Amino acid sequence: MYQKKHIGCYGLIIGENKIVLIKKSKGAYTGKLDLPGGTIEHGETPEETVKREIMEEVGCAVSKMELFDATSCNIIWYCEKKKEEENLHHIGIIYKIEICSDNLKTGEDGYDSLGSAWYEIKDLKENQVSPLTWIQLQKLGYK
């Protein structure tokens, strides 16, 4: 089994008991709802990463951000590209984010997001969201 480590930065955008999530189009979380965010590019700080990713996936600038958590989880999934199971160690640096607009990008980002939307937190189920998302909802006391 192939082992992979992924380190990314993600944004918690919450307001009025709703959260902004993206729907994943590929990778280990295909079809699931996930926090907007992604891989730290070479030379980027975590703060620069989350600002860039929020703009790419949500279509909004970040007006305020605060470091909230760093966490990880392991998942095993079948990687079509490699034609084998992958043991993914997913490490996330999580920021509480406020955005400049409520007009979210609803279309694809051309990479791994099918678009973003506001979701009622009370309606979300564990099997609908990525493990990192569920962990954060628990830490915030929603689940």
Side-chain angles (χ1 to χ4, degrees):
M1 182 182 309
Y2 179 75
Q3 293 185 344
K4 181 179 177 182
K5 177 176 25 180
H6 175 76
I7 302 171
C9 297
Y10 303 90
L12 283 168
I13 306 169
I14 296 175
E16 299 178 18
N17 294 312
K18 293 182 180 180
I19 185 170
V20 173
L21 299 173
I22 62 164
K23 186 157 188 172
K24 298 295 278 188
S25 63
K26 66 180 187 177
Y29 304 141
T30 299
K32 291 195 180 276
L33 300 172
D34 195 16
L35 297 172
T39 303
I40 301 170
E41 292 183 356
H42 184 77
E44 271 186 331
T45 66
E47 293 83 4
E48 291 168 336
T49 299
V50 78
K51 287 178 183 179
R52 174 184 52 78
E53 289 283 349
I54 297 295
M55 181 57 77
E56 289 174 3
E57 295 181 345
V58 179
C60 298
V62 172
S63 62
K64 186 177 177 183
M65 62 188 301
E66 175 187 351
L67 181 62
F68 176 68
D69 193 25
T71 192
S72 70
C73 62
N74 281 74
I75 66 160
I76 296 172
W77 70 290
Y78 185 78
C79 180
E80 284 290 333
K81 188 175 183 179
K82 293 182 178 78
K83 301 291 185 210
E84 68 176 306
E85 281 192 333
E86 179 178 283
N87 183 343
L88 174 65
H89 182 200
H90 192 178
I91 302 161
I93 302 169
I94 314 295
Y95 290 86
K96 286 185 178 178
I97 300 288
E98 291 180 19
I99 51 178
C100 295
S101 170
D102 285 335
N103 296 325
L104 306 182
K105 180 179 183 178
T106 57
E108 297 181 29
D109 71 351
Y111 180 63
D112 67 347
S113 169
L114 294 173
S116 62
W118 287 97
Y119 292 87
E120 291 281 348
I121 295 172
K122 66 178 176 56
D123 296 337
L124 295 171
K125 308 285 187 262
E126 186 173 7
N127 65 349
Q128 296 175 300
V129 300
S130 70
L132 285 184
T133 302
W134 193 255
I135 289 167
Q136 297 312 306
L137 292 175
Q138 289 177 316
K139 287 184 177 183
L140 289 165
Y142 289 106
K143 301 292 179 181

